[in-house]
Amino acid sequence: AGFGTAEESNQKFRYLLEQGQTGLSVAFDLPSQLGYDSDDQMAIAEVGQVGVAIDSLYDMETLFAEIPLDKVSTSMTINAPAAVMLAMYVAAGEKQGVSPEKLRGTVQNDVLKEYIARGNYIFPPRPSMRITTDLFAYCRDTIPKWNTISISGYHIDEAGANPISQAALTLSNGLTYVELFSTRGLDVDKFLRNFSWFFSNGMDPEYAVIGRVCRRIWAIAMRDLYGVGERGQKLKYHIQGSGRSLHSQEFTWNDYRTTLQALYALADNANSLHTNSRDEAFGTPTEDTVRDAVAIQLILSKEYGWLQNENPLQGSYIAEWLTDNVEEQVLRIFEEMH
């Protein structure tokens, strides 16, 4: 959620918490993502358009006014200025009397995918990577419950990648972060405990196994290249239905697309899932469409039965063949890249 001003977004957050929500996710507007103040001439047309405008500590305090930061988990979709936004969040918590070690949440902090897909970077690659790993080290010592990165294949997919290239490029980015972390003499095993992933889930059948493929490749790479233990070999990921698969024409049909994508996520044993609202093809979703999108998850989790029993596709010929086939293609891209 991100609705123009910090005051408007705070009202939405407090409403969500009153409805039983326990975690918050902050979308920032483009000027904030690029480090521009809202009164900068370069920013005027985009202020508050795709998220909340955060220019100062005052804005961050306003965004979380009357929200106890030791009671909620906060995800911030921010990359190039992730360290700055996290510093503001820590300061806002301290003003509430909440010490950093009690804070829980995530910063996306995946600047590599900005160069590949979105273009929202500020600094050249090497300084950007230094800032990214500085944040890792800081959180390890100061905010141990904080997830320091969410490596995103979603944006790569939205920029036009197919499921194969989404998996290959996202895993390659993950390996790059680990290698840089390792060269700085930091403990890879401990760092991986606060490591998460974010994939897109479209309509092609390969999306039903993208998580299985990435988990298999990642576990072997972490074990063989870095001697990481079993916990660090695990790949925890969130998945969201593909935005580019939604249509603005006959947009009510998007609910069916979202449901099929959610079934793919269940078949792939995703750790968490976002179901798109049917009107997201052309605007910020309304309360009614969000309620319906959540209902898709409730029906699948409470009435459908897959979450109560073993995955019915586990061990099936088509699932195993598709997994092997996708893995082979992903590894072939790796060989071409390296």
Side-chain angles (χ1 to χ4, degrees):
F3 294 85
T5 67
E7 291 88 350
E8 291 173 295
S9 295
N10 175 261
Q11 292 173 14
K12 177 62 71 173
F13 285 161
R14 286 161 62 184
Y15 168 78
L16 292 170
L17 292 170
E18 288 169 2
Q19 305 308 306
Q21 187 95 342
T22 58
L24 300 172
S25 182
V26 185
F28 296 87
D29 69 355
L30 286 175
S32 298
Q33 292 182 46
L34 287 165
Y36 285 98
D37 287 334
S38 296
D39 60 358
D40 192 292
Q41 288 296 312
M42 292 287 288
I44 290 174
E46 289 289 347
V47 175
Q49 291 297 305
V50 297
V52 61
I54 300 295
D55 301 331
S56 65
L57 176 56
Y58 174 79
D59 291 332
M60 188 67 77
E61 291 172 4
T62 303
L63 181 64
F64 291 100
E66 299 183 45
I67 298 173
L69 296 186
D70 57 342
K71 298 291 192 296
V72 298
S73 173
T74 302
S75 173
M76 293 191 279
T77 308
I78 195 73
N79 296 283
V84 177
M85 292 300 182
L86 180 57
M88 290 183 188
Y89 188 81
V90 170
E94 288 178 337
K95 286 200 171 187
Q96 289 186 5
V98 179
S99 59
E101 63 267 17
K102 293 181 180 179
L103 298 175
R104 293 179 296 114
T106 303
V107 279
Q108 193 164 81
N109 196 29
D110 176 15
V111 74
L112 286 177
K113 66 95 171 46
E114 298 297 335
Y115 299 105
I116 296 173
R118 295 184 73 232
N120 286 354
Y121 51 83
I122 298 174
F123 312 109
R126 288 188 184 279
S128 293
M129 292 293 282
R130 174 61 190 263
I131 294 170
T132 296
T133 51
D134 281 347
L135 190 148
F136 293 159
Y138 171 80
C139 290
R140 178 201 60 185
D141 297 332
T142 311
I143 322 177
K145 296 179 182 178
W146 200 266
N147 294 316
T148 50
I149 194 167
S150 176
I151 300 177
S152 177
Y154 187 89
H155 303 88
I156 295 171
D157 193 271
E158 288 290 286
N162 61 29
I164 310 297
S165 52
Q166 178 195 178
L169 290 169
T170 309
L171 285 169
S172 180
N173 286 350
L175 287 168
T176 302
Y177 289 121
V178 172
E179 179 61 22
L180 187 59
F181 202 74
S182 176
T183 57
R184 289 188 60 176
L186 299 167
D187 190 331
V188 172
D189 221 336
K190 287 184 179 178
F191 146 68
L192 287 172
R193 297 174 189 177
N194 298 93
F195 207 83
S196 62
W197 303 75
F198 176 27
F199 293 116
S200 175
N201 194 10
M203 304 298 286
D204 298 331
E206 288 84 359
Y207 285 107
V209 299
I210 191 170
R212 296 182 68 189
V213 169
C214 289
R215 281 172 169 153
R216 185 188 291 183
I217 294 173
W218 185 253
I220 293 170
M222 291 303 100
R223 182 195 67 197
D224 294 351
L225 297 178
Y226 298 99
V228 170
E230 187 174 330
R231 181 176 175 182
Q233 294 172 22
K234 293 180 179 179
L235 189 150
K236 302 177 296 182
Y237 77 95
H238 170 77
I239 201 160
Q240 176 177 343
S242 168
R244 65 186 173 114
S245 72
L246 303 180
H247 292 228
S248 55
Q249 303 89 351
E250 299 288 357
F251 71 96
T252 56
W253 294 5
N254 289 333
D255 282 340
Y256 305 115
R257 297 182 178 98
T258 295
T259 302
L260 290 171
Q261 291 166 2
L263 286 170
Y264 276 168
L266 290 179
D268 207 22
N269 292 319
N271 294 96
S272 65
L273 168 68
H274 171 86
T275 40
N276 290 326
S277 301
R278 57 181 170 271
D279 52 356
E280 284 191 57
F282 49 82
T284 302
T286 63
E287 187 174 326
D288 286 342
T289 61
V290 170
R291 193 181 300 275
D292 290 345
V294 172
I296 292 171
Q297 292 208 33
L298 291 173
I299 291 169
L300 291 175
S301 64
K302 304 296 182 183
E303 300 177 22
Y304 195 63
W306 268 15
L307 295 184
Q308 285 74 42
N309 301 294
E310 197 68 31
N311 186 338
L313 293 185
Q314 199 84 13
S316 73
Y317 173 81
I318 184 64
E320 297 302 326
W321 175 85
L322 199 55
T323 301
D324 292 341
N325 184 267
V326 171
E327 181 183 19
E328 182 180 334
Q329 294 182 69
V330 169
L331 292 174
R332 189 179 304 131
I333 294 175
F334 270 169
E335 291 176 3
E336 293 172 356
M337 290 173 62
H338 301 285

